[in-house]
Amino acid sequence: MKIFEGKRFFIYGDGISARAAYRAIAKNGGKAKIYTDRCGLFDTPPDRPYDGAVVSPGIKPTHNVYKFCAERNIRAFGEAEIGFSLAKCRSVGVTGTNGKTTTTRLIADMIGGTACGNIGYPVTAAADKERTALVCELSSFQLYNSVVTPDVAVIVNVAEDHLDWHGSAEEYYRCKCNIAANMAGGFLVIGDDVPIGALGSLRTKAEIIRCSADGAANCGAYVRDGYFWFDGKRVSPVDYLRLQGRHNLKNALCAVAAAKCMGADNDRILMALSSATLSPHRLENAGSALGKRWIDDSKSTNVSSCLAAVEATTGSLCLIVGGRDKGLDYKTLFCALDESRIESVVAMGESAQLIRDGAAKSKCGIRVTVVDGLSDAVKAAAKSAADTVLLSPACASFDEFTDYKARGEKFRAEVKALESK
């Protein structure tokens, strides 16, 4: 008997994950229909018995679909939960505020598995084909109400993000901790930058593996004497890691720990480290117009990832930030920036004034120029005296673009236009 035989669901949302959930339910004996907002209004499903509702991860908890489900005692969950229930192999779940994609891809290469989830390949689609291992990137949206049971869970790091969606930092942290809440055993790898305060809601039966990039003796995975170590044994020289920046060192350490928990051998881990590449629009060279180096870090959508990008660069910087606000505190950004390196900041989009207010509250001496959108931001940055222009927005892209990829491509096109002049 198929797992969903005789069961009925409705699916809310019409994106990649919604369509993948529909196919998975139908293939495994169930019935489902997709609904989505019409002209911004809730499209109410027929009022009949349902065995569950699959709600797309982009839909906020305040949406009427959740009220509809609560009033009828219908359990709402996400596509990722279906994927884990259908998986016929071992799995790794990866979450964090930043570095999820890098860590997910590293682990997949280290263990010979398939990277899926929030990277754009639905968990259900991967589970239908993969027989070796799934490595699932899971966002806080996906973890909001889904039961996932990886053999190894990874929390790479945690910093405040998506407060406009979750409503509070505590709720955001709860969702991150939910990656390990239903594990009956296995391992939970916790990265260097996961503050104790973010783990207040953590309840898990998994064995916890702590990571330390500074060689802390009480950690199961660490960096010391130029090597990655796990369980007291050397794994690989650090200088085999192709990715630059201390943040990527920490990502790689989490990946090494997860891979060793999954039984990976050191040779395969070394090969993965030495062949790793950055995700698109993550600290990519975008050109050298007007004697400046232009860097595309459009994938940066929060303050902590922006600061990591600044740390990974050298020389004087003109920093382009802004977009759709996510409820973050921009004062913390300016308090953390090195004034001796930041020649200027260009604030763009819907959050531009909030960013300038954050700079004023920090009482820093960094000059902030406010512009409407990305094209104007590039023009303003072109006039700066900085060696490098870094697009690292610390905001969502949805005020002007469909996603961070479209924002990054537009930035690169603008730089190319400058080069041709």
Side-chain angles (χ1 to χ4, degrees), residues 342-363:
I342 308 300
E343 190 271 342
S344 59
V345 168
V346 180
M348 63 179 180
E350 290 180 356
S351 62
Q353 189 57 55
L354 291 172
I355 291 167
R356 183 159 64 180
D357 291 346
K361 291 175 184 176
S362 74
K363 295 182 169 48

Side-chain angles (χ1 to χ4, degrees), residues 13 18 41 69 76 81 86 99 103 184 190 208 211 265 305 320 364 377 396 400:
L41 299 176
C69 291
E81 179 173 329
L86 295 175
T103 306
I190 297 181
I208 294 176
C211 296
D265 64 63
S305 63
I320 299 177
C364 70
E400 188 177 356

